[in-house]
């Protein structure tokens, strides 16, 4: 499998935003994550392949708030590599727990996160109705609820 070179970045440019907005259609929310969190980019050779943002949400708790792989490079294992790298970064920072949230309709993502060890924690009912202006549909399902997942690192 192709190697990924993952590095922290403080840059923002259009290519980065294109990826970030794949995971979250709200630029306002993405901008807030970039100010408060740490952004990591993944490079396959010289091509920007993926991105994730880590945010410290509570003492000892880190959340993956945005993760995406470039559409043309999806389904090659890069997403799993990014999630595993994020888990390792959270562990190295001394966090006890890493969390992630996704939509009830995000079947592929729910599968990926559980394959990486995340367990279901809670449902934030109507999160996407409250926070997003447009209705979101995926896999023929309306995205209404945020499914919260966690992984114990201690
Ligand atoms: N349908 C269902 N499951 C699928 C799938 C598909 N089309 N493609 C991959 N998977 C599963 C596979 O089971 C795979 O596990 P395996 O390695 O055991 O076979 C697992 O997901 C990981 O796949 P991977 O190739 O590593 O994922 P990816 O590189 O495609 O990246 C995302 C996954 C979610 C990051 C990517 O699809 C993406 O950027 N999506 C848009 C942004 C987004 O939704 N971000 C998350 C917001 S919560």
């Amino acid at each position: 499998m192709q190697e990924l070179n993952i590095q922290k970045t403080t840059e923002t440019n259009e290519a980065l935003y294109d990826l970030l907005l794949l995971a979250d259609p709200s630029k306002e929310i993405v901008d807030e994550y970039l100010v408060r969190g740490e952004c990591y980019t993944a490079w396959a050779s010289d091509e920007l392949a993926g991105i994730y943002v880590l945010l410290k949400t509570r003492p000892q708790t880190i959340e993956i708030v945005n993760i995406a792989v470039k559409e043309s490079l999806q389904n090659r294992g890069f997403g799993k590599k990014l999630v595993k790298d994020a888990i390792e970064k959270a562990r190295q920072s001394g966090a006890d727990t890493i969390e992630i949230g996704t939509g009830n309709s995000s079947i592929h993502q729910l599968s990926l996160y559980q394959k990486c060890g995340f367990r279901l924690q809670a449902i934030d009912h109507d999160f996407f109705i409250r926070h997003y202006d447009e209705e979101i549909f995926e896999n023929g399902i309306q995205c209404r609820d945020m499914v919260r997942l966690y992984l114990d690192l201690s």
Side-chain angles (χ1 to χ4, degrees):
M1 195 192 293
Q2 209 176 347
E3 282 301 309
L4 270 190
N5 175 13
I6 301 174
Q7 18 183 279
K8 191 166 159 179
T9 183
T10 49
E11 257 180 67
T12 48
N13 58 43
E14 203 176 324
L16 259 62
Y17 268 106
D18 285 349
L19 274 180
L20 292 161
L21 292 168
L22 270 185
D24 195 317
S26 165
K27 181 162 186 298
E28 205 184 321
I29 294 176
V30 165
D31 280 337
E32 199 194 315
Y33 291 156
L34 288 176
V35 171
R36 292 172 52 213
E38 290 188 341
C39 185
Y40 293 86
T41 46
W43 300 82
S45 305
D46 287 339
E47 188 176 5
L48 176 62
I51 201 156
Y52 69 81
V53 180
L54 292 182
L55 191 66
K56 192 169 177 187
T57 50
R58 294 191 297 283
Q60 311 302 328
T61 303
I62 287 191
E63 180 168 344
I64 305 173
V65 287
N66 189 303
I67 183 161
V69 170
K70 187 175 176 178
E71 270 170 321
S72 58
L73 297 175
Q74 288 178 5
N75 303 321
R76 299 179 186 197
F78 287 161
K80 204 183 244 181
K81 279 195 176 169
L82 288 184
V83 175
K84 290 196 166 164
D85 191 79
I87 293 170
E88 217 28 65
K89 295 262 180 347
R91 202 189 299 277
Q92 282 163 12
S93 79
D96 291 339
T97 309
I98 182 165
E99 297 181 344
I100 194 161
T102 193
N104 60 285
S105 50
S106 299
I107 306 298
H108 172 194
Q109 290 79 346
L110 283 166
S111 149
L112 167 60
Y113 304 148
Q114 290 180 83
K115 281 179 180 174
C116 292
F118 282 85
R119 300 196 47 195
L120 301 183
Q121 183 170 42
I123 312 285
D124 190 344
H125 288 283
D126 287 327
F127 175 91
F128 292 96
I129 307 286
R130 288 196 307 274
H131 294 283
Y132 292 81
D133 295 336
E134 305 286 322
E135 288 186 343
I136 305 166
F137 278 84
E138 287 174 297
N139 303 303
I141 306 168
Q142 185 173 4
C143 182
R144 304 177 61 104
D145 306 321
M146 162 90 81
V147 181
R148 307 280 321 158
L149 300 100
Y150 76 101
L151 173 62
D152 196 348
L153 301 171
S154 55

